[in-house]
């Protein structure tokens, strides 16, 4: 921005931009030494709860990488605290949910949550970040999608096979739909509240939905994601709908909603884009490519730009989050290459 219109927001709206905008999922995080320095003094949840620290961490990658958007520093699992599920992060083991949802009674017991109140500290962070950014780049808010959140709530943490989640989905369909409906309402209102606080776009992370067959996605997930996305879209900001392993789900995800569909590297960008006509596309460099040789990395970046063909509505990103061993300097080189190679010279 800084006087010029934002290339990121233009692309979200399907409008031409002066170059292809780029940002990276997990652009704030442990691969950055300045993030680790803050983590040495504060836990992940403390950083999320303190708007001053959340602001500092959100801004860390902006100058260093030259990206075209900032993403709020928070976590998709924060709503689990007011929902009474008991959230903590075990050292090196990822999230732990103390009281997982395992029965219809557990679903019925979930309290009503007003995100504007229960997650007010996140909204305070959004306001503080907007102020600190001073319109240099737009701010993206985010939340977890009903399915991905339900998987953590049911499993009690991360999983490889989603067996407990699917068992609940197939055996207790009524309780499943009640749970996803509750999560959709909380998440939709939470995204709308982030937009009202100043987030200029929002992303719904359905990170693990690719474990489902298309028919199961349509039956068990689509209506709930649609509800969350509609509540978010009503705020007026552009909405990005992201998942991984979604090559067979793209049409159904676009039907659920989103101005932009986020895809990973398992499907070529142009093939994915052809499957979601009318939407923008975000992606889709394999984050592991940043750990490979640099001529190969450049070739992959150029291939993605070639597949996008300079069409309006492409937002460059990784197919999933930045990996911990990534050298920040190589991310910077990728940003510079994208800007240089995609610049409109008219
Ligand atoms: O820079 C950013 O992208 C913003 C911050 C952000 C975090 N989590 C902070 C975080 C975002 C967008 C998330 C989203 C998130 N959280 C997702 C969806 C995105 C994805 O990667 O699919 C998921 C599934 C979660 C849940 C979660 N949080 C897990 C599984 C873990 C542990 C994984 C790990 O790397 O240890 C977290 C912890 C977490 N959230 C970290 C960060 C920076 C790890 C670093 C730390 O402990 O300091």
């Amino acid at each position: 921005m800084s006087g010029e219109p934002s290339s990121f927001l233009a692309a979200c709206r399907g409008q031409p931009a002066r170059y292809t905008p780029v940002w990276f999922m997990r652009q704030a995080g442990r691969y950055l030494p300045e993030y680790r320095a803050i983590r040495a003094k504060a836990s992940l949840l403390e950083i999320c709860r303190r708007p001053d620290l959340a602001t500092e961490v959100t801004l860390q990658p902006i100058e260093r990488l030259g990206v075209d958007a900032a993403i709020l520093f928070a976590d998709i699992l924060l709503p689990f605290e007011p929902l009474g599920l008991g959230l903590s992060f075990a050292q090196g083991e990822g999230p732990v949910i103390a009281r997982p949802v395992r029965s219809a009674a557990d679903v019925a017991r979930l309290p009503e949550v007003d995100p504007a109140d229960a997650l007010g500290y996140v909204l305070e962070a959004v306001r503080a970040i907007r102020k600190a950014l001073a319109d240099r780049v737009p701010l993206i808010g985010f939340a977890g999608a009903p399915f991905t959140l339900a998987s953590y709530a049911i499993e009690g943490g991360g999983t490889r096979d989603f067996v407990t989640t699917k068992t609940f989905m197939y055996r207790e369909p009524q309780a499943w739909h009640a749970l996803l409906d509750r999560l959709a309402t909380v998440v939709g209102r939470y995204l709308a509240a982030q937009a009202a606080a100043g987030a200029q776009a929002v992303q719904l992370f359905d990170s693990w939905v690719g474990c489902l067959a298309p028919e199961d996605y349509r039956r068990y997930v689509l209506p709930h994601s649609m509800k969350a996305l509609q509540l978010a879209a009503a705020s007026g900001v552009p909405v990005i709908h992201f998942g991984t392993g979604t090559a067979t789900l793209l049409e159904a995800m676009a039907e659920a909603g989103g101005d932009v569909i986020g895809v990973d590297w398992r499907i070529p960008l142009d093939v994915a884009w052809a499957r979601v006509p009318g939407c923008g596309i975000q992606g889709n460099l394999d984050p592991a490519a940043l750990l490979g040789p640099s001529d190969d990395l450049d070739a992959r970046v150029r291939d993605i730009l070639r597949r996008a063909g300079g069409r309006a509505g492409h937002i460059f990103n990784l197919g999933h989050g930045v990996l911990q061993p990534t050298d920040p300097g190589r991310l910077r080189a990728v940003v510079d290459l994208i800007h240089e190679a995609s610049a409109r010279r008219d």
Side-chain angles (χ1 to χ4, degrees):
M1 310 214 322
S2 0
E4 289 192 65
S6 154
S7 57
F8 169 77
L9 290 176
C12 284
R13 296 291 187 202
Q15 293 159 0
R18 62 188 189 283
Y19 47 60
T20 300
V22 51
W23 68 281
F24 302 113
M25 289 180 278
R26 296 283 179 105
Q27 65 190 18
R30 282 178 300 205
Y31 79 99
L32 279 179
E34 56 268 39
Y35 174 80
R36 293 198 299 274
I38 293 199
R39 275 288 276 114
K41 297 179 289 185
S43 72
L44 176 67
L45 289 174
E46 277 162 2
I47 300 174
C48 294
R49 286 191 200 111
R50 278 190 44 188
D52 59 330
L53 292 181
T55 300
E56 189 176 342
V57 168
T58 299
L59 267 65
Q60 281 175 348
I62 304 307
E63 294 294 332
R64 195 202 246 262
L65 304 185
V67 286
D68 299 297
I71 179 159
L72 163 71
F73 193 86
D75 196 88
I76 62 163
L77 302 180
L78 296 179
F80 284 4
E81 295 191 300
L83 284 168
L85 302 183
L87 172 66
S88 58
F89 286 88
Q91 191 70 37
E93 282 166 50
V96 179
I97 286 80
R99 292 173 289 282
V101 174
R102 294 280 163 79
S103 67
D106 291 341
V107 178
R109 221 179 285 128
L110 293 173
E112 281 291 329
V113 167
D114 175 4
D117 175 38
L119 296 163
Y121 61 91
V122 177
L123 306 179
E124 221 180 288
V126 168
R127 288 186 280 267
I129 295 163
R130 274 303 302 278
K131 209 167 165 187
L133 280 171
D135 279 350
R136 272 173 292 170
V137 291
L139 175 64
I140 305 168
F142 71 92
F147 174 81
T148 290
L149 288 181
S151 78
Y152 283 102
I154 293 167
E155 303 280 345
T159 173
R160 274 174 201 275
D161 54 21
F162 299 89
V163 167
T164 314
T165 304
K166 291 183 183 181
T167 304
F168 191 80
M169 187 173 89
Y170 293 141
R171 294 181 71 112
E172 307 265 5
Q174 264 193 313
W176 170 268
H177 284 295
L179 172 62
L180 266 76
D181 183 68
R182 295 293 300 276
L183 292 171
T185 305
V186 171
V187 157
R189 292 172 67 194
Y190 182 39
L191 290 173
Q194 290 179 34
Q200 290 142 294
V202 293
Q203 176 159 320
L204 190 72
F205 280 94
D206 213 348
S207 303
W208 309 131
V209 76
C211 73
L212 294 179
E215 283 316 303
D216 285 338
Y217 178 82
R218 287 188 178 276
R219 186 190 307 182
Y220 294 105
V221 177
L222 191 155
H224 307 293
S225 289
M226 184 183 269
K227 179 177 183 174
L229 290 161
Q230 280 175 352
L231 286 167
S235 67
V237 303
V239 179
I240 305 168
H241 187 186
F242 165 80
T244 69
T246 56
T248 61
L249 303 180
L250 291 173
E251 292 88 350
M253 283 178 69
E255 209 175 300
D259 301 283
V260 177
I261 304 296
V263 289
D264 74 9
W265 60 91
R266 294 173 179 92
I267 181 168
L269 188 90
D270 49 334
V271 176
W273 207 349
R275 300 252 305 275
V276 294
C279 295
I281 197 99
Q282 179 173 277
N284 67 340
L285 182 69
D286 185 340
L290 284 139
L291 310 177
S294 60
D295 52 348
D296 178 60
L297 173 61
D298 286 10
R300 287 169 187 265
V301 169
R302 289 183 193 278
D303 183 62
I304 290 167
L305 292 173
R306 183 184 60 76
R307 290 177 185 279
R311 287 172 285 173
H314 178 216
I315 298 164
F316 203 106
N317 205 316
L318 305 179
H320 208 172
V322 177
L323 299 167
Q324 210 180 326
T326 304
D327 170 1
R330 302 199 72 193
L331 284 171
R332 172 87 221 192
V334 165
V335 170
D336 292 342
L337 173 60
I338 292 163
H339 286 166
E340 201 252 353
S342 68
R344 297 179 46 170
R345 300 178 214 281
D346 49 29

